[in-house]
Short mmCIF file of all heavy atoms in Angstrom, two decimals:
data_model
loop_
_atom_site.label_atom_id
_atom_site.label_comp_id
_atom_site.label_asym_id
_atom_site.label_seq_id
_atom_site.Cartn_x
_atom_site.Cartn_y
_atom_site.Cartn_z
N PRO A 77 15.83 -9.86 -18.86
CA PRO A 77 14.66 -10.42 -18.19
C PRO A 77 14.44 -11.86 -18.59
O PRO A 77 13.70 -12.62 -17.96
CB PRO A 77 13.58 -9.46 -18.64
CG PRO A 77 14.08 -8.85 -19.91
CD PRO A 77 15.52 -8.69 -19.72
N LYS A 78 14.95 -12.29 -19.79
CA LYS A 78 14.72 -13.64 -20.19
C LYS A 78 15.54 -14.67 -19.50
O LYS A 78 15.16 -15.66 -18.99
CB LYS A 78 14.92 -13.70 -21.73
CG LYS A 78 13.95 -12.97 -22.59
CD LYS A 78 14.17 -13.22 -24.01
CE LYS A 78 13.23 -12.42 -24.94
NZ LYS A 78 13.49 -12.51 -26.35
N THR A 79 16.91 -14.33 -19.43
CA THR A 79 17.88 -15.20 -18.72
C THR A 79 18.19 -14.82 -17.38
O THR A 79 18.90 -15.52 -16.61
CB THR A 79 19.17 -15.32 -19.60
OG1 THR A 79 19.70 -13.89 -19.57
CG2 THR A 79 18.84 -15.64 -21.02
N ASN A 80 17.80 -13.60 -16.95
CA ASN A 80 18.09 -13.18 -15.57
C ASN A 80 19.58 -13.01 -15.34
O ASN A 80 20.11 -13.27 -14.25
CB ASN A 80 17.44 -14.00 -14.56
CG ASN A 80 17.29 -13.20 -13.21
OD1 ASN A 80 17.19 -12.04 -13.17
ND2 ASN A 80 17.31 -13.97 -12.12
N THR A 81 20.34 -12.72 -16.42
CA THR A 81 21.76 -12.53 -16.35
C THR A 81 22.15 -11.12 -16.80
O THR A 81 21.37 -10.46 -17.39
CB THR A 81 22.49 -13.58 -17.20
OG1 THR A 81 22.02 -13.35 -18.57
CG2 THR A 81 22.18 -14.98 -16.91
N TYR A 82 23.32 -10.75 -16.30
CA TYR A 82 23.82 -9.37 -16.67
C TYR A 82 24.19 -9.34 -18.15
O TYR A 82 24.68 -10.21 -18.72
CB TYR A 82 25.04 -9.00 -15.85
CG TYR A 82 24.70 -8.72 -14.38
CD1 TYR A 82 24.91 -9.62 -13.40
CD2 TYR A 82 24.10 -7.44 -13.99
CE1 TYR A 82 24.59 -9.39 -12.07
CE2 TYR A 82 23.74 -7.13 -12.65
CZ TYR A 82 23.98 -8.15 -11.74
OH TYR A 82 23.66 -7.90 -10.42
N THR A 83 23.90 -8.12 -18.68
CA THR A 83 24.30 -7.80 -20.10
C THR A 83 24.64 -6.41 -20.19
O THR A 83 24.32 -5.56 -19.43
CB THR A 83 23.03 -8.19 -21.01
OG1 THR A 83 23.37 -7.87 -22.33
CG2 THR A 83 21.88 -7.28 -20.65
N ASN A 84 25.39 -6.11 -21.28
CA ASN A 84 25.77 -4.70 -21.53
C ASN A 84 25.05 -4.10 -22.61
O ASN A 84 25.45 -3.03 -23.23
CB ASN A 84 27.28 -4.67 -21.81
CG ASN A 84 28.11 -4.95 -20.63
OD1 ASN A 84 27.78 -4.53 -19.54
ND2 ASN A 84 29.23 -5.76 -20.80
N THR A 85 23.94 -4.66 -23.09
CA THR A 85 23.13 -4.24 -24.24
C THR A 85 22.08 -3.25 -23.70
O THR A 85 21.43 -3.51 -22.70
CB THR A 85 22.45 -5.34 -25.00
OG1 THR A 85 23.48 -6.26 -25.42
CG2 THR A 85 21.65 -4.84 -26.20
N ASN A 86 21.85 -2.11 -24.46
CA ASN A 86 20.77 -1.13 -24.03
C ASN A 86 19.45 -1.76 -24.26
O ASN A 86 19.20 -2.50 -25.21
CB ASN A 86 20.99 0.06 -24.92
CG ASN A 86 22.26 0.82 -24.74
OD1 ASN A 86 22.94 0.67 -23.74
ND2 ASN A 86 22.65 1.62 -25.82
N SER A 87 18.57 -1.42 -23.31
CA SER A 87 17.24 -2.14 -23.29
C SER A 87 16.21 -1.07 -22.87
O SER A 87 16.42 -0.06 -22.23
CB SER A 87 17.26 -3.30 -22.36
OG SER A 87 17.48 -2.89 -21.00
N PHE A 88 15.01 -1.47 -23.19
CA PHE A 88 13.77 -0.71 -22.82
C PHE A 88 12.86 -1.64 -21.97
O PHE A 88 12.68 -2.80 -22.39
CB PHE A 88 13.05 -0.19 -24.06
CG PHE A 88 11.69 0.40 -23.71
CD1 PHE A 88 11.55 1.73 -23.17
CD2 PHE A 88 10.57 -0.36 -23.91
CE1 PHE A 88 10.37 2.30 -22.92
CE2 PHE A 88 9.36 0.24 -23.53
CZ PHE A 88 9.20 1.52 -23.07
N SER A 89 12.38 -1.22 -20.93
CA SER A 89 11.47 -2.04 -20.09
C SER A 89 10.24 -1.21 -19.69
O SER A 89 10.32 0.04 -19.47
CB SER A 89 12.12 -2.50 -18.82
OG SER A 89 12.60 -1.53 -18.01
N ASN A 90 9.16 -1.85 -19.53
CA ASN A 90 7.81 -1.16 -19.20
C ASN A 90 7.09 -2.16 -18.27
O ASN A 90 6.92 -3.35 -18.55
CB ASN A 90 7.04 -0.99 -20.44
CG ASN A 90 5.77 -0.22 -20.23
OD1 ASN A 90 4.78 -0.35 -21.01
ND2 ASN A 90 5.65 0.56 -19.22
N GLY A 91 6.71 -1.55 -17.00
CA GLY A 91 5.96 -2.42 -16.02
C GLY A 91 4.68 -1.86 -15.69
O GLY A 91 4.41 -0.61 -15.68
N TYR A 92 3.71 -2.82 -15.29
CA TYR A 92 2.37 -2.40 -14.82
C TYR A 92 2.05 -3.20 -13.60
O TYR A 92 2.33 -4.44 -13.58
CB TYR A 92 1.39 -2.82 -15.96
CG TYR A 92 1.64 -2.08 -17.27
CD1 TYR A 92 2.43 -2.72 -18.22
CD2 TYR A 92 1.08 -0.91 -17.55
CE1 TYR A 92 2.68 -2.13 -19.41
CE2 TYR A 92 1.31 -0.28 -18.82
CZ TYR A 92 2.14 -0.90 -19.71
OH TYR A 92 2.34 -0.24 -20.93
N ASN A 93 1.57 -2.39 -12.55
CA ASN A 93 1.27 -3.08 -11.27
C ASN A 93 -0.01 -2.48 -10.73
O ASN A 93 -0.31 -1.39 -10.88
CB ASN A 93 2.48 -2.84 -10.34
CG ASN A 93 3.75 -3.43 -10.73
OD1 ASN A 93 3.96 -4.63 -10.60
ND2 ASN A 93 4.61 -2.58 -11.45
N ILE A 94 -0.66 -3.32 -9.91
CA ILE A 94 -1.83 -3.02 -9.09
C ILE A 94 -1.52 -3.51 -7.74
O ILE A 94 -1.29 -4.68 -7.56
CB ILE A 94 -3.14 -3.55 -9.70
CG1 ILE A 94 -3.45 -3.00 -11.09
CG2 ILE A 94 -4.26 -3.23 -8.76
CD1 ILE A 94 -4.68 -3.54 -11.75
N GLU A 95 -1.62 -2.65 -6.76
CA GLU A 95 -1.32 -2.91 -5.36
C GLU A 95 -2.50 -2.60 -4.43
O GLU A 95 -3.10 -1.57 -4.67
CB GLU A 95 -0.05 -2.31 -4.92
CG GLU A 95 1.16 -2.68 -5.71
CD GLU A 95 2.43 -1.94 -5.35
OE1 GLU A 95 2.29 -0.93 -4.60
OE2 GLU A 95 3.52 -2.43 -5.69
N SER A 96 -2.68 -3.36 -3.40
CA SER A 96 -3.66 -3.06 -2.34
C SER A 96 -3.15 -3.48 -1.04
O SER A 96 -2.38 -4.45 -0.93
CB SER A 96 -5.02 -3.85 -2.67
OG SER A 96 -5.89 -3.70 -1.72
N SER A 97 -3.53 -2.67 -0.03
CA SER A 97 -3.14 -2.99 1.38
C SER A 97 -4.33 -2.77 2.28
O SER A 97 -5.13 -1.87 1.98
CB SER A 97 -1.94 -2.16 1.71
OG SER A 97 -2.26 -0.75 1.74
N LEU A 98 -4.37 -3.47 3.40
CA LEU A 98 -5.48 -3.40 4.31
C LEU A 98 -4.88 -3.45 5.75
O LEU A 98 -4.16 -4.46 6.08
CB LEU A 98 -6.58 -4.40 4.12
CG LEU A 98 -7.71 -4.48 5.14
CD1 LEU A 98 -8.49 -3.13 5.12
CD2 LEU A 98 -8.63 -5.67 4.90
N LEU A 99 -5.20 -2.41 6.55
CA LEU A 99 -4.69 -2.51 7.97
C LEU A 99 -5.63 -3.43 8.76
O LEU A 99 -6.79 -3.17 8.86
CB LEU A 99 -4.73 -1.07 8.50
CG LEU A 99 -4.23 -1.02 9.97
CD1 LEU A 99 -2.80 -1.31 10.08
CD2 LEU A 99 -4.46 0.49 10.50
N LEU A 100 -5.01 -4.53 9.30
CA LEU A 100 -5.81 -5.44 10.07
C LEU A 100 -5.82 -5.11 11.50
O LEU A 100 -6.91 -5.35 12.07
CB LEU A 100 -5.20 -6.84 9.86
CG LEU A 100 -5.26 -7.33 8.39
CD1 LEU A 100 -4.61 -8.78 8.37
CD2 LEU A 100 -6.71 -7.49 7.83
N PHE A 101 -4.71 -4.60 12.04
CA PHE A 101 -4.66 -4.32 13.52
C PHE A 101 -3.65 -3.33 13.78
O PHE A 101 -2.49 -3.38 13.27
CB PHE A 101 -4.39 -5.67 14.30
CG PHE A 101 -4.30 -5.45 15.75
CD1 PHE A 101 -5.47 -5.37 16.56
CD2 PHE A 101 -3.06 -5.39 16.37
CE1 PHE A 101 -5.36 -5.15 17.88
CE2 PHE A 101 -2.96 -5.18 17.77
CZ PHE A 101 -4.18 -5.14 18.63
N ASP A 102 -4.00 -2.27 14.54
CA ASP A 102 -3.08 -1.29 15.02
C ASP A 102 -3.30 -0.87 16.46
O ASP A 102 -3.15 0.31 16.84
CB ASP A 102 -3.16 -0.06 14.14
CG ASP A 102 -4.46 0.67 14.17
OD1 ASP A 102 -5.47 0.08 14.67
OD2 ASP A 102 -4.50 1.73 13.69
N GLY A 103 -3.67 -1.95 17.30
CA GLY A 103 -4.04 -1.58 18.65
C GLY A 103 -5.31 -0.85 18.80
O GLY A 103 -5.53 -0.15 19.88
N LEU A 104 -6.23 -0.94 17.80
CA LEU A 104 -7.56 -0.23 17.80
C LEU A 104 -7.40 1.29 17.80
O LEU A 104 -8.36 1.97 18.06
CB LEU A 104 -8.38 -0.62 19.04
CG LEU A 104 -8.69 -2.20 19.18
CD1 LEU A 104 -9.56 -2.34 20.44
CD2 LEU A 104 -9.34 -2.61 18.01
N SER A 105 -6.18 1.83 17.41
CA SER A 105 -6.01 3.23 17.32
C SER A 105 -6.93 3.87 16.34
O SER A 105 -7.59 4.89 16.56
CB SER A 105 -4.58 3.52 17.06
OG SER A 105 -3.71 3.25 18.15
N SER A 106 -7.01 3.21 15.15
CA SER A 106 -7.83 3.78 14.11
C SER A 106 -9.34 3.71 14.45
O SER A 106 -10.18 4.62 14.11
CB SER A 106 -7.69 2.92 12.80
OG SER A 106 -6.33 3.03 12.39
N ILE A 107 -9.72 2.70 15.21
CA ILE A 107 -11.21 2.64 15.60
C ILE A 107 -11.50 3.73 16.59
O ILE A 107 -12.55 4.44 16.41
CB ILE A 107 -11.37 1.23 16.36
CG1 ILE A 107 -11.16 0.04 15.34
CG2 ILE A 107 -12.85 1.21 16.90
CD1 ILE A 107 -12.19 0.07 14.23
N TYR A 108 -10.64 4.02 17.59
CA TYR A 108 -10.83 5.11 18.56
C TYR A 108 -10.82 6.48 17.86
O TYR A 108 -11.49 7.35 18.25
CB TYR A 108 -9.91 4.96 19.67
CG TYR A 108 -10.22 3.87 20.63
CD1 TYR A 108 -9.30 2.82 20.83
CD2 TYR A 108 -11.42 3.75 21.26
CE1 TYR A 108 -9.57 1.76 21.74
CE2 TYR A 108 -11.77 2.68 22.08
CZ TYR A 108 -10.74 1.69 22.34
OH TYR A 108 -11.09 0.68 23.11
N ARG A 109 -9.93 6.56 16.88
CA ARG A 109 -9.82 7.84 16.08
C ARG A 109 -11.17 8.08 15.34
O ARG A 109 -11.60 9.21 15.19
CB ARG A 109 -8.63 7.90 15.15
CG ARG A 109 -7.30 8.19 15.87
CD ARG A 109 -6.29 8.56 14.81
NE ARG A 109 -6.00 7.48 13.87
CZ ARG A 109 -5.00 6.57 14.11
NH1 ARG A 109 -4.34 6.63 15.21
NH2 ARG A 109 -4.86 5.65 13.15
N LEU A 110 -11.73 7.00 14.79
CA LEU A 110 -13.00 7.07 14.18
C LEU A 110 -14.08 7.54 15.07
O LEU A 110 -14.90 8.43 14.75
CB LEU A 110 -13.35 5.68 13.50
CG LEU A 110 -14.75 5.58 12.92
CD1 LEU A 110 -14.91 6.58 11.73
CD2 LEU A 110 -14.98 4.15 12.42
N ARG A 111 -14.13 6.95 16.28
CA ARG A 111 -15.06 7.36 17.28
C ARG A 111 -14.91 8.81 17.66
O ARG A 111 -15.87 9.51 17.87
CB ARG A 111 -15.04 6.46 18.52
CG ARG A 111 -15.45 4.99 18.18
CD ARG A 111 -15.33 4.13 19.40
NE ARG A 111 -15.68 2.72 19.12
CZ ARG A 111 -15.64 1.74 20.06
NH1 ARG A 111 -15.20 2.03 21.30
NH2 ARG A 111 -16.03 0.46 19.73
N SER A 112 -13.63 9.18 17.84
CA SER A 112 -13.38 10.67 18.20
C SER A 112 -13.87 11.53 17.12
O SER A 112 -14.47 12.63 17.37
CB SER A 112 -11.90 10.86 18.44
OG SER A 112 -11.61 12.13 18.78
N SER A 113 -13.63 11.17 15.80
CA SER A 113 -14.12 12.01 14.66
C SER A 113 -15.57 12.07 14.59
O SER A 113 -16.21 13.11 14.29
CB SER A 113 -13.50 11.47 13.37
OG SER A 113 -12.12 11.47 13.38
N ARG A 114 -16.27 10.94 15.01
CA ARG A 114 -17.68 11.01 14.99
C ARG A 114 -18.27 11.99 16.08
O ARG A 114 -19.26 12.67 15.87
CB ARG A 114 -18.23 9.58 15.27
CG ARG A 114 -19.72 9.42 15.21
CD ARG A 114 -20.15 7.99 15.47
NE ARG A 114 -19.68 7.47 16.65
CZ ARG A 114 -19.62 6.13 17.01
NH1 ARG A 114 -20.15 5.33 16.18
NH2 ARG A 114 -19.21 5.78 18.22
N GLU A 115 -17.53 11.96 17.18
CA GLU A 115 -17.97 12.95 18.24
C GLU A 115 -17.74 14.35 17.81
O GLU A 115 -18.60 15.24 18.05
CB GLU A 115 -17.21 12.69 19.57
CG GLU A 115 -17.36 11.29 20.15
CD GLU A 115 -18.71 10.80 20.45
OE1 GLU A 115 -19.59 11.74 20.50
OE2 GLU A 115 -18.93 9.67 20.66
N GLU A 116 -16.61 14.58 17.12
CA GLU A 116 -16.26 15.94 16.65
C GLU A 116 -17.27 16.40 15.58
O GLU A 116 -17.62 17.53 15.44
CB GLU A 116 -14.88 15.88 15.99
CG GLU A 116 -13.76 15.71 17.05
CD GLU A 116 -13.72 16.81 18.06
OE1 GLU A 116 -14.08 18.02 17.65
OE2 GLU A 116 -13.23 16.59 19.14
N GLN A 117 -17.76 15.41 14.83
CA GLN A 117 -18.84 15.76 13.84
C GLN A 117 -20.14 16.20 14.46
O GLN A 117 -20.77 17.20 14.10
CB GLN A 117 -19.15 14.45 12.95
CG GLN A 117 -20.22 14.79 11.90
CD GLN A 117 -20.70 13.52 11.15
OE1 GLN A 117 -20.69 12.51 11.77
NE2 GLN A 117 -21.03 13.55 9.88
N GLN A 118 -20.42 15.51 15.53
CA GLN A 118 -21.71 15.97 16.30
C GLN A 118 -21.40 17.29 17.00
O GLN A 118 -22.33 18.08 17.17
CB GLN A 118 -22.03 14.86 17.33
CG GLN A 118 -22.48 13.54 16.69
CD GLN A 118 -22.81 12.55 17.67
OE1 GLN A 118 -22.90 12.73 18.89
NE2 GLN A 118 -23.09 11.23 17.21
#
C-alpha cells in the first residue's frame, strides 16, 4: 500500500468505509408506488 507495487511478503490489511446512495430519478416509479401504497393503507 505504500509503494503500490507487487510484493511477495505476507501482510495484514484492515479497511473502514461509510457509503451512501440516493435515487434521484427512476421514471417516477417510486413516487407512484408510494401513492399506491398510501391507497392500500387506506
Side-chain angles (χ1 to χ4, degrees):
K78 295 181 179 180
T79 61
N80 201 26
T81 60
Y82 287 101
T83 179
N84 290 322
T85 305
N86 298 338
S87 63
F88 172 81
S89 60
N90 183 207
Y92 301 90
N93 296 279
I94 297 178
E95 299 176 346
S96 178
S97 64
L98 175 63
L99 180 63
L100 298 179
F101 179 77
D102 63 346
L104 301 181
S105 292
S106 298
I107 297 296
Y108 287 122
R109 281 196 297 269
L110 173 63
R111 294 179 179 178
S112 176
S113 299
R114 182 177 58 191
E115 306 297 347
E116 293 295 332
Q117 181 190 32
Q118 296 181 8

